[in-house]
Amino acid sequence: MTHLLFALLLLQADTGAPLPEPAQGSAIMEMLRNSGPIALIVLAILFVCSVWSWAVILGKWAASAAPPRRAIASCALSAK
């Protein structure tokens, strides 16, 4: 119990250190500027996979939303 109270007191201590300057641009751009090459490669791979998966999702959705070709053909034959 005393360790927990001591930790809480340390967290609340004011060190008097100046606050960092606010970022001038976007936080995402700042994160990318501060990332290493491995992190950038991983982010690029994740981005490509995300775009690919959305293309698959939208392709499946468009295919399921369109009526089947057999149904269209049978409607055209029965209309004659």
Side-chain angles (χ1 to χ4, degrees):
M1 183 71 174
T2 57
H3 295 302
L4 179 63
L5 291 174
F6 182 68
L8 288 174
L9 286 174
L10 286 178
L11 287 175
Q12 294 178 359
D14 185 16
T15 60
L19 294 174
E21 294 285 327
Q24 297 296 326
S26 169
I28 294 174
M29 293 306 294
E30 187 72 22
M31 179 192 67
L32 290 175
R33 276 189 227 108
N34 293 333
S35 297
I38 300 294
L40 292 175
I41 290 170
V42 170
L43 286 172
I45 291 170
L46 288 172
F47 178 76
V48 168
C49 291
S50 177
V51 170
W52 180 269
S53 66
W54 273 107
V56 169
I57 290 168
L58 293 176
K60 297 277 186 176
W61 177 73
S64 69
R69 293 182 184 197
R70 280 188 242 159
I72 294 172
S74 65
C75 287
L77 291 176
S78 64
K80 290 184 180 182

